[in-house]
Amino acid sequence: MISRYFTPERLEWQWRQIVEAARTHGAGRSRGDASPAPASPPDTVLPCRAGASLAQSRDVGRAATSAVEAAESQAMSARDLRMASPGDREETRAVVVELQELLSRCPAGALGAEGSAVVLAAVAALAQALITDRDERAALRLIRAAFPHLEFLGRRHPAVLEVRRVRAEALSELGLYRRAEKLLRRLSEDEERVFGSGDPRTALLLLWTLVGSGRSQEAEGGFRSLEARLAQPRGTVTPMLWHLRCRYSWLLGQQGWVNESVRGYDDVIIDRSHELGADHADALDARHSKGKMLVLAEEGAQAVTLLQALADDRARVQGDRHPDTLETLKYLHLARVQMEPRDDRVLHHAINDLVQILRIQDERHGPVHPLSRDTTAWLHGLFRLQERARSRGHIPDLGRLPNTGEGQSRTIPLSRRSGTSPDARPAPEQVVR
């Protein structure tokens, strides 16, 4: 559609219209305008200006055509980056950068209604893949480049609704729950006006922001209501329902219902492994969430075996430096420390590995990313635990450490972040609120 619109004939016609309008305007000035005429004759200056406009129009046309083509090709080859090879991951990120650059060269309306819808659908899919792969900021940069085209289609266009939902999810995953909640509530209202009811994906994201912001009681009723809405006749379970039950199981664990949470996770793990395969990223994620919940509930003995097997599987399937693999390895170390909190070798090994994990997370995501903040908080807890263990003082609980805030500073010594010797004695660390 774009290539048909920005034809050479149409661009030549636009060029002639610009030249003619400019000459007419120049003639009018010489007859009735008191301001001085341009120093150079119109025949020598104005065609240059028109030529520049023509070149700019051609550049926009090429960018628009390329954007639509890139979007269409991405729609045909969408992939889950969690399971992709390093080469495929780099290829997808190259597509993201290319599409982002093309969109920056296309003003609102340059793609037309149909082209804008195609491109925004690809933006939503790419941004979702980036979020799943823990690259929320890259997702937000891509969406930001698409803002003019969102405004062109209008806030209630179906393609725009998809992008708005993904944007809110990125903010929620970054821990910006209030902003995400506000966007999701407005999105839900617009979905009801367009479709007659809110999208369950939006409803689930909204419930998750409530959990993240500590409003568990408010979220619990919403989970039950949404599960009843999604329940299928004849007992059919959909991926959406798996996702809901996985998050509801997390909420149960947070509220202290550990056995109920374990049963919920086990059901999801069995279903996902049977339907998707044991090595599918969603099945691995459910196993990780169960293990992490057990660590937070101070059930390290239950978590160790699960997390050890999962760490091996993730290293085999996703690579030993993948963000998901590093998270599982982190919680495996914490589970081991919970089992043997006075064993200095276990503590030393956990601290050294978490320091290395934090360094990688800082480089990839930045120090204020939730993954980095979580690792920082655990390191502070491990430092305190090590100091108490060496002084034979009271051993504090390692579970349920407070999360570090977005503006929180970190006081991990450089020696610690570079690795330490077993005999190094750290100063007690305090979490700065």
Side-chain angles (χ1 to χ4, degrees), residues 1-7 11 54-73 95-112 115-116 118-120 123 145 149:
M1 181 193 68
I2 299 301
S3 59
R4 289 198 301 270
Y5 183 82
F6 289 102
T7 60
L11 292 171
L54 175 61
Q56 184 176 10
S57 297
R58 284 176 173 165
D59 180 66
V60 169
R62 285 192 295 268
T65 302
S66 299
V68 174
E69 290 175 350
E72 289 174 339
S73 66
V95 171
V96 170
V97 172
E98 177 191 11
L99 185 56
Q100 188 173 320
E101 193 273 333
L102 290 170
L103 289 175
S104 68
R105 290 159 51 192
C106 296
L111 304 174
S116 296
V118 170
V119 169
L120 291 181
V123 166
H149 310 285

Side-chain angles (χ1 to χ4, degrees), residues 246 265 268-269 272 281-291:
C246 202
Y265 275 123
V268 174
I269 291 167
R272 283 179 170 175
D282 288 346
L284 299 177
D285 282 351
R287 291 166 61 190
H288 173 81
S289 295
K290 176 186 173 183

Side-chain angles (χ1 to χ4, degrees), residues 134 136-137 173-175 330 368-375:
R134 305 302 310 198
E136 299 89 352
R137 298 193 186 281
E173 290 299 313
L174 289 171
K330 176 173 72 179
V368 299
H369 190 278
L371 292 180
S372 303
R373 298 204 310 268
D374 182 69
T375 305

Side-chain angles (χ1 to χ4, degrees), residues 58-366:
R58 284 176 173 165
D59 180 66
V60 169
R62 285 192 295 268
T65 302
S66 299
V68 174
E69 290 175 350
E72 289 174 339
S73 66
Q74 179 59 33
M76 296 296 293
S77 61
R79 56 175 64 96
D80 186 341
L81 295 181
R82 294 171 298 174
M83 309 298 294
S85 66
D88 286 342
R89 291 161 67 93
E90 289 303 316
E91 180 182 345
T92 300
R93 280 173 167 74
V95 171
V96 170
V97 172
E98 177 191 11
L99 185 56
Q100 188 173 320
E101 193 273 333
L102 290 170
L103 289 175
S104 68
R105 290 159 51 192
C106 296
L111 304 174
E114 183 181 348
S116 296
V118 170
V119 169
L120 291 181
V123 166
L126 284 167
Q128 184 68 66
L130 291 168
I131 293 169
T132 305
D133 202 43
R134 305 302 310 198
D135 200 353
E136 299 89 352
R137 298 193 186 281
L140 290 174
R141 287 194 297 269
L142 177 61
I143 292 172
R144 195 174 300 118
F147 275 174
H149 310 285
L150 296 172
E151 295 175 356
F152 172 72
L153 288 184
R155 57 184 290 181
R156 292 176 187 154
H157 189 284
V160 175
L161 296 176
E162 291 292 324
V163 177
R164 290 171 59 190
R165 184 185 308 109
V166 176
R167 181 190 177 208
E169 182 175 0
L171 294 172
S172 177
E173 290 299 313
L174 289 171
L176 304 174
Y177 299 117
R178 290 185 181 179
R179 288 180 60 189
E181 180 185 353
K182 182 178 179 181
L183 293 175
L184 288 168
R185 292 195 183 280
R186 292 182 61 191
L187 175 60
S188 182
E189 293 172 358
D190 287 339
E191 288 170 346
E192 290 180 1
R193 292 179 182 178
V194 174
F195 302 114
S197 62
D199 192 302
R201 293 173 295 173
T202 303
L204 181 55
L205 284 173
L206 180 56
L207 291 172
W208 195 238
T209 63
L210 298 180
V211 173
S213 56
R215 293 148 67 184
S216 300
Q217 298 274 343
E218 188 177 346
E220 184 173 5
F223 273 108
R224 294 180 182 276
S225 176
L226 185 57
E227 183 174 13
R229 175 183 168 188
L230 292 175
Q232 300 289 317
R234 302 179 183 177
T236 304
V237 180
T238 64
M240 180 68 185
L241 194 53
W242 290 333
H243 195 39
L244 182 149
R245 288 176 176 172
C246 202
R247 292 194 162 182
Y248 184 45
S249 297
W250 178 263
L251 176 62
L252 291 174
Q254 278 199 328
Q255 294 177 322
W257 300 95
V258 177
N259 292 333
E260 290 78 1
S261 176
V262 167
R263 285 197 293 269
Y265 275 123
D266 285 343
D267 288 343
V268 174
I269 291 167
I270 292 170
D271 286 343
R272 283 179 170 175
S273 299
H274 176 71
E275 295 293 332
L276 306 175
D279 286 343
H280 191 279
D282 288 346
L284 299 177
D285 282 351
R287 291 166 61 190
H288 173 81
S289 295
K290 176 186 173 183
K292 180 176 177 179
M293 180 277 298
L294 289 171
V295 171
L296 293 179
E298 301 174 37
E299 298 289 347
Q302 292 188 54
V304 164
T305 303
L306 183 158
L307 291 172
Q308 179 62 72
L310 177 59
D312 294 339
D313 289 340
R314 279 193 150 166
R316 172 176 53 83
V317 175
Q318 298 177 278
D320 57 5
R321 291 175 63 88
H322 189 279
D324 292 345
T325 305
L326 296 178
E327 278 294 288
T328 296
L329 182 61
K330 176 173 72 179
Y331 279 90
L332 171 60
H333 279 301
L334 296 171
R336 288 171 173 167
V337 170
Q338 285 182 341
M339 290 183 63
E340 302 179 87
R342 290 190 179 275
D343 190 318
D344 195 62
R345 290 194 305 173
V346 172
L347 272 168
H348 168 72
H349 190 37
I351 289 173
N352 275 5
D353 269 18
L354 261 66
V355 165
Q356 298 303 320
I357 290 170
L358 179 59
R359 180 182 294 111
I360 296 172
Q361 289 173 337
D362 278 356
E363 292 174 354
R364 286 179 179 170
H365 312 293

